[in-house]
C-alpha cells in the first residue's frame, strides 16, 4: 500500500504517470470519447469524474511550465453550447495545486482527436459533462 496516493489513481494509471517523460501528454477523456480509436494506450477509470482524477494526478506530477499552455481542452463546436462551470471546476483544482497555470488552450474537436493520437495515453473516465475532455502536459521537476 502506498501512502498519499489518491484511491482514484489505479495501479495502471500510476504506472503510466511514472513512465511518462516531461513533455508527454495525458488525455482525461469523458465517457463518450473515442479513446480506443484515437490511442492504443487506454486506461480505464470508469465511474470517476475528471475533477477527482485531476486532483489525484496533479499531486503526483507537475505541469510543464516551459510551454504557453500545459493544459488543453476541446473547443465548443460552432452552434453548440458548453457549461462554463466545467472549465471552472477544472481550473479550481489546477489552481489549488499549481497556482499560476495559464488558462487551458482550446483546441478544435478534430484537432483534439489528432493530438490525442500522439498523446502518451488516454484515461477513459466516468465524466458525462459536455466538452469535459482535457489534456495535461507533464513537466520537469522544478529545481
Amino acid at each position: 500500500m502506498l501512502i498519499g496516493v489518491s484511491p482514484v489513481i489505479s495501479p495502471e494509471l500510476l504506472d503510466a504517470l511514472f513512465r511518462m517523460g516531461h513533455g508527454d501528454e495525458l488525455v482525461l477523456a469523458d465517457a463518450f470519447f473515442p479513446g480506443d480509436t484515437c490511442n492504443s494506450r487506454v486506461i480505464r477509470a470508469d465511474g470517476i469524474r475528471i475533477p477527482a482524477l485531476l486532483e489525484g494526478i496533479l499531486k503526483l506530477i507537475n505541469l510543464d511550465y516551459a510551454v504557453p499552455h500545459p493544459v488543453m481542452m476541446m473547443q465548443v463546436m460552432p452552434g453548440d453550447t458548453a457549461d462554463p462551470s466545467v472549465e471552472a471546476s477544472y481550473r479550481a483544482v489546477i489552481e489549488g495545486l499549481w497556482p499560476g497555470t495559464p488558462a487551458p488552450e482550446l483546441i478544435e474537436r478534430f484537432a483534439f482527436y489528432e493530438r490525442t493520437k500522439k498523446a502518451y495515453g488516454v484515461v477513459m473516465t466516468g465524466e458525462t459533462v459536455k466538452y469535459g475532455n482535457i489534456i495535461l502536459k507533464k513537466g520537469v521537476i522544478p529545481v
Side-chain angles (χ1 to χ4, degrees):
M1 181 59 111
L2 298 175
I3 297 170
V5 177
S6 169
V8 301
I9 305 295
S10 68
E12 187 180 15
L13 179 53
L14 188 62
D15 181 63
L17 295 172
F18 170 76
R19 292 178 185 281
M20 287 174 66
H22 57 80
D24 279 342
E25 295 180 352
L26 185 68
V27 179
L28 304 183
D30 66 37
F32 308 105
F33 190 82
D36 288 301
T37 301
C38 291
N39 196 294
S40 61
R41 183 179 285 121
V42 173
I43 300 164
R44 302 302 308 187
D46 300 297
I48 301 172
R49 306 291 297 269
I50 288 178
L53 276 169
L54 275 174
E55 185 169 354
I57 289 168
L58 293 178
K59 287 181 178 178
L60 300 173
I61 67 168
N62 60 305
L63 296 170
D64 194 342
Y65 58 83
V67 298
H69 296 282
V71 177
M72 294 133 276
M73 292 182 70
M74 188 180 287
Q75 186 177 57
V76 177
M77 298 275 295
D80 202 357
T81 58
D83 180 351
S85 70
V86 174
E87 182 178 336
S89 70
Y90 295 179
R91 291 281 309 147
V93 174
I94 294 165
E95 276 296 312
L97 294 163
W98 294 102
T101 299
E105 176 182 14
L106 299 178
I107 301 174
E108 186 273 333
R109 177 182 168 197
F110 295 103
F112 193 98
Y113 295 154
E114 287 302 312
R115 190 157 191 155
T116 299
K117 291 177 183 178
K118 299 174 190 164
Y120 183 84
V122 176
V123 181
M124 293 299 300
T125 73
E127 191 59 69
T128 57
V129 297
K130 282 173 59 174
Y131 300 101
N133 306 300
I134 187 168
I135 299 174
L136 306 174
K137 183 180 281 285
K138 185 178 181 182
V140 297
I141 297 172
V143 182

